[in-house]
Amino acid sequence: MLIKTPTDHALATSEITPESIYAQRRQFLQIAGAGLLASALPNLALAAPLPKFKPGTPIPDEPSTPLSTLTTYGNFYEFGPSKDSPARNSSSLKTSPWSVEVDGEVLKPGRFDLDDILRMGAMEERIYRLRCVEGWSVVVPWVGFPLAQLLNKVQPKGNARYVEFWSLADPEQMPYVRFPTLDWPYREALRLDEAMHPLTILAVGMYGQVLPKPNGAPIRLVVPWKYGFKSGKSLVRIRLVEQQPKTTWMKAAPGEYGFYANVNPEVSHPRWSQAKERRLGEFFRRPTLPFNGYADQVSSLYTGMDLNRNF
Amino acid sequence: MASSAPVWNPSSKQLLLIKLALIALSLLPLLRLFGDLGPNPPEFVSHHTGTWTFNFLLLTLLISPLRAWTGAHWLLRLRRNLGVLSFFYALLHVSAFVIFEHQFDITEIAKDVLDRPFITVGFAAFVLMIPLALTSNNRAVAYLGGKRWRELHRMVYAIGILAAIHYLWLSKVTTYFYPLTYTILLVLLLGWRAARFMDKSRPPSPPQHDKEQPIQFFKQKPKD
């Protein structure tokens, strides 16, 4: 994590209000409220801002979910089973020093410090929908860079067909890793073309600040057209492999969680329908969109595939 | 087995106070719904009312074993209140489903009840609760007669089992702790009844009277 002292960068970054923040000035109270929240819950403290990034385009008619909601409602089972467990328990997560090991079927494997990663790609803000398999959804203004930039740097070999993402699973920092609720460490994976897709990013921040700990600090995957569990948090390893890996949720409940996990209102979860979702902050449920609204950009990846079988 | 020490028995005025206190306490979970409902209010309301339906169901089932262990027979007079409270929270829980999940759309509700197995089971549990709620008053007890009323209200065992399945089925494997705990508590409470049923079906032992002399058979007639 880049630790900037005030003398290093004078007033350059702070003078420019990122357009996204300006556009959300009406939500300032909520962000300020998050600041108050931060003083109450230290793990949510708004740390140093990120390097300059290109502001993103908001989704028309779909406002971003307030930061206080994003940090206090979510699933991060390493920190506990409840929706507010991450907010309450993730202060023990040490995000510095941090490095990500990139290996497997690549020509130039390496261990990258977070500082190296932050300099690797041009930072951009991406305002994405995120849809949980449970049936709720949010809109998040992520700050990150395309995963393709990192993958191109390590040069996948010809036989590399899938990319694995491993999350941190340290029982000292993450108390619930002591319980075998899932087969730790949390592992997710994408097909290589999904990983190389321009929409797929490695996120290091949200709302113009570094990722809060409950949201998978300091670096996580974001794949907006898939269910949220595919977007692994607090990544420590990225590995390119030849065979389709079995992800953590596939192992936990193979009949319920598949490899692709594309958001699809027509393919039900065995125990609930996926046709509708609750956007946090809204009273009524809204229809779920195919590929979470990103169909025109990603459906070509799946032409000819039976999406019922490859769920 | 009743304890040999004398058990406190409330007067009718004291019992009324106890019942009023119970009802006041049992409305606290309702008051909670007017507080902060968090980022996903429909989920919170549904979860909260469902949990309290189950809590009151378990408390209802706790009365009989508690009576047997402490000898405090007056506890039976609270069971009806607890049962009705369970039904009250079940009504709130079903209302949350009808309003928040489906906005009163009957067709969607019917589809959902048939589509999602955990909702089928939950809905069945609720439907079984209705005759119990309707026959919870004195007139119904008198009309049905004690024996038939008791047989009808034994449906609470099936309701408990359906509720446990409903709770387990809607949970992800990572959040099994609470539904499993509820299931274990239910099994214990039903197990006590099963044990009692086994006990009762054994033939009763002959009456033992302390004052009676046991029959003695002498080889010789005793000298007086």
Side-chain angles (χ1 to χ4, degrees):
Chain A
M1 181 163 76
L2 274 169
I3 300 167
K4 296 189 183 196
T5 55
T7 50
D8 282 358
H9 294 271
L11 302 166
T13 340
S14 57
E15 269 185 334
I16 307 165
T17 306
E19 199 191 295
S20 57
I21 303 282
Y22 178 77
Q24 283 148 16
R25 58 197 181 279
R26 287 199 180 84
Q27 283 166 299
F28 174 73
L29 276 174
Q30 275 137 345
I31 299 174
L36 276 174
L37 205 71
S39 53
L41 293 164
N43 47 296
L44 301 180
L46 300 176
L50 295 160
K52 262 165 73 169
F53 55 87
K54 192 173 129 214
T57 337
I59 304 173
D61 300 317
E62 295 183 47
S64 294
T65 306
L67 181 61
S68 53
T69 301
L70 294 174
T71 50
T72 54
Y73 192 90
N75 294 322
F76 201 166
Y77 296 122
E78 289 87 332
F79 292 107
S82 306
K83 292 290 187 288
D84 59 345
S85 304
R88 282 184 298 117
N89 301 333
S90 59
S91 50
S92 46
L93 182 65
K94 231 164 71 86
T95 53
S96 173
W98 192 277
S99 58
V100 181
E101 172 114 39
V102 187
D103 62 347
E105 303 293 341
V106 294
L107 290 171
K108 293 190 173 163
R111 179 178 280 276
F112 299 90
D113 278 342
L114 196 60
D115 291 350
D116 302 331
I117 295 180
L118 287 174
R119 275 188 276 265
M120 206 175 276
M123 288 289 166
E124 339 170 10
E125 184 183 54
R126 298 280 184 94
I127 304 180
Y128 284 160
R129 299 185 192 88
L130 186 69
R131 165 63 154 88
C132 178
V133 74
E134 293 172 344
W136 52 272
S137 65
V138 290
V139 175
V140 188
W142 303 103
V143 178
F145 63 95
L147 173 63
Q149 283 175 13
L150 174 62
L151 292 180
N152 286 331
K153 198 174 165 75
V154 297
Q155 293 174 27
K157 291 193 211 159
N159 62 335
R161 292 182 56 229
Y162 296 91
V163 187
E164 271 187 352
F165 302 90
W166 295 54
S167 300
L168 179 72
D170 178 8
E172 296 294 315
Q173 299 178 55
M174 302 163 125
Y176 281 76
V177 166
R178 291 174 224 256
F179 301 104
T181 31
L182 288 174
D183 184 18
W184 309 117
Y186 191 81
R187 265 169 290 185
E188 260 307 330
L190 295 174
R191 219 170 54 187
L192 188 58
D193 57 347
E194 296 175 323
M196 296 292 282
H197 194 278
L199 282 180
T200 308
I201 58 168
L202 283 173
V204 293
M206 62 163 65
Y207 276 109
Q209 309 283 351
V210 292
L211 273 184
K213 291 180 185 184
N215 300 94
I219 183 168
R220 69 169 293 168
L221 179 68
V222 181
V223 196
W225 73 93
K226 293 178 184 283
Y227 292 117
F229 67 85
K230 294 294 292 180
S231 298
K233 298 191 267 284
S234 303
L235 299 179
V236 288
R237 186 176 179 192
I238 296 174
R239 187 163 75 145
L240 274 82
V241 295
E242 202 173 351
Q243 303 293 332
Q244 185 184 98
K246 275 220 163 24
T247 62
T248 299
W249 276 107
M250 284 169 77
K251 286 192 261 178
E256 299 187 2
Y257 307 103
F259 177 80
Y260 287 96
N262 290 322
V263 175
N264 192 338
E266 311 211 342
V267 177
S268 303
H269 182 280
R271 291 181 287 128
W272 54 79
S273 152
Q274 296 287 22
K276 292 211 199 131
E277 66 195 52
R278 172 97 50 211
R279 179 67 51 85
L280 298 189
E282 288 179 7
F283 186 80
F284 295 118
R285 290 164 86 203
R286 50 161 69 211
T288 294
L289 303 167
F291 297 105
N292 211 15
Y294 299 97
D296 51 351
Q297 296 171 70
V298 302
S299 56
S300 55
L301 293 172
Y302 309 103
T303 33
M305 270 177 73
D306 179 349
L307 293 179
N308 261 292
R309 275 195 329 134
N310 296 296
F311 66 99
Chain B
M1 32 120 218
S3 54
S4 45
V7 174
W8 175 70
N9 219 10
S11 67
S12 50
K13 191 162 151 219
Q14 284 171 323
L15 187 65
L16 180 65
L17 286 174
I18 293 173
K19 283 191 182 179
L20 287 173
L22 175 67
I23 293 179
L25 282 174
S26 62
L27 292 178
L28 288 177
L30 179 64
L31 279 176
R32 175 66 186 82
L33 292 176
F34 293 95
D36 176 25
L37 301 176
N40 195 347
E43 195 227 356
F44 179 79
V45 171
S46 183
H47 184 262
H48 184 76
T49 52
T51 312
W52 279 98
T53 306
F54 216 148
N55 291 342
F56 281 111
L57 183 77
L58 290 177
L59 284 172
T60 312
L61 289 170
L62 185 61
I63 296 289
S64 291
L66 209 51
R67 271 175 71 209
W69 295 329
T70 62
H73 295 289
W74 59 269
L75 286 171
L76 185 62
R77 314 272 283 278
L78 299 177
R79 193 172 62 185
R80 175 187 304 189
N81 298 95
L82 292 169
V84 172
L85 282 165
S86 179
F87 182 73
F88 170 67
Y89 280 101
L91 267 177
L92 289 179
H93 186 64
V94 172
S95 304
F97 172 70
V98 165
I99 300 171
F100 294 127
E101 293 293 301
H102 294 293
Q103 290 89 55
F104 296 102
D105 188 334
I106 306 279
T107 329
E108 286 297 311
I109 292 168
K111 261 192 358 194
D112 212 6
V113 169
L114 296 169
D115 256 347
R116 299 199 260 176
F118 79 87
I119 301 210
T120 321
V121 168
F123 201 74
F126 176 70
V127 165
L128 290 183
M129 281 179 109
I130 297 173
L132 268 61
L134 291 173
T135 56
S136 58
N137 56 81
N138 287 333
R139 246 192 27 204
V141 181
Y143 178 77
L144 289 170
K147 187 163 177 289
R148 281 201 303 174
W149 186 93
R150 256 200 311 277
E151 282 166 359
L152 174 67
H153 278 251
R154 285 212 185 102
M155 258 198 325
V156 71
Y157 306 151
I159 292 167
I161 293 169
L162 288 170
I165 297 173
H166 172 70
Y167 198 1
L168 280 166
W169 252 354
L170 66 85
S171 304
K172 281 159 78 174
V173 67
T174 38
T175 50
Y176 269 171
F177 176 73
Y178 279 105
L180 271 180
T181 310
Y182 276 82
T183 307
I184 291 169
L185 290 172
L186 180 72
V187 164
L188 288 172
L189 289 169
L190 293 182
W192 178 85
R193 280 162 178 77
R196 192 179 59 165
F197 179 75
M198 302 295 194
D199 223 28
K200 277 203 178 133
S201 51
R202 262 192 259 117
S205 46
Q208 309 282 332
H209 297 287
D210 291 321
K211 305 248 168 60
E212 236 180 48
Q213 298 275 26
I215 297 168
Q216 284 178 301
F217 292 93
F218 299 102
K219 286 224 162 83
Q220 287 172 273
K221 193 171 163 182
K223 292 191 176 132
D224 290 298

